[in-house]
Amino acid sequence: MRSFDMTIRIGFSLPLGKAGAVTHILVTVTSGAAMMKSERREKDKLVGVGERWRLQDAKARFSEVVRRAREHGPQRVTLHGKDAVVIVSAESYDRGRERHTGRRLVEALAASPLANIMLERPFVTGPVRDVEV
C-alpha cells in the first residue's frame, strides 16, 4: 500500500465594490505518490542499513544479507514491521551455543586473591507444610 502526501492550495481574488467583476480562483494540487528514479535509488541504498531488512528485501538480496552477517554482525529481518528473525554467522552462532558449565567461574574464583576468605553462610529455618502427592 502506498501512502500519498497531498497538498491542495486554493486562492480567491474577490473584487471590492465592482458589480459583475470576474472572480479568480487558483487551485494547485501536488502529490508525493510519484517517486523519481533517483529517489528510488536513494531509498534502495538505505535497505539493510542499521542491520534491519524487510522480509521482501532480504529475500531479494539474500547473498548480501549473508555477507553482511559474516562481516558486520547480526542482521535482523522484519515481518510486518516487527523483528522476525536474526541472521548471524556460523561462528557467532557456535560461540553462543557453547556449553555453560560454570567451570570458568569456579576457576576465576579459585585464582582470585579473595579465594582464602571464609564466607559465613547463615542457615535459615522456616515452617514446612505437609503436601499430599
Side-chain angles (χ1 to χ4, degrees):
M1 178 187 288
R2 267 197 171 149
S3 64
F4 294 91
D5 295 327
M6 186 171 283
T7 305
I8 299 176
R9 233 177 33 193
I10 302 174
F12 293 92
S13 176
L14 298 174
L16 297 173
K18 294 184 181 176
V22 178
T23 302
H24 302 283
I25 300 175
L26 171 68
V27 177
T28 306
V29 179
T30 58
S31 171
M35 188 183 291
M36 296 173 51
K37 285 183 183 178
S38 61
E39 290 174 331
R40 248 185 259 131
R41 266 189 245 115
E42 287 300 314
K43 181 183 169 214
D44 286 345
K45 286 181 189 174
L46 297 176
V47 172
V49 172
E51 302 162 347
R52 270 194 167 63
W53 299 76
R54 293 181 312 175
L55 178 61
Q56 64 263 30
D57 296 327
K59 284 170 42 177
R61 298 165 67 180
F62 190 66
S63 296
E64 184 177 352
V65 176
V66 170
R67 181 183 57 75
R68 286 190 187 190
R70 293 178 76 194
E71 294 175 3
H72 303 292
Q75 303 291 306
R76 293 179 177 273
V77 179
T78 62
L79 182 62
H80 305 296
K82 296 182 181 175
D83 287 348
V85 297
V86 178
I87 298 175
V88 296
S89 67
E91 181 181 296
S92 294
Y93 178 77
D94 291 340
R95 189 173 46 244
R97 291 190 39 98
E98 285 181 0
R99 268 185 69 165
H100 299 286
T101 60
R103 178 181 46 84
R104 290 182 186 166
L105 177 60
V106 170
E107 289 172 356
L109 291 174
S112 166
L114 304 175
N116 296 328
I117 293 178
M118 295 301 293
L119 297 176
E120 189 176 313
R121 294 176 49 201
F123 185 75
V124 178
T125 58
V128 178
R129 62 180 198 166
D130 292 329
V131 178
E132 290 184 31
V133 182

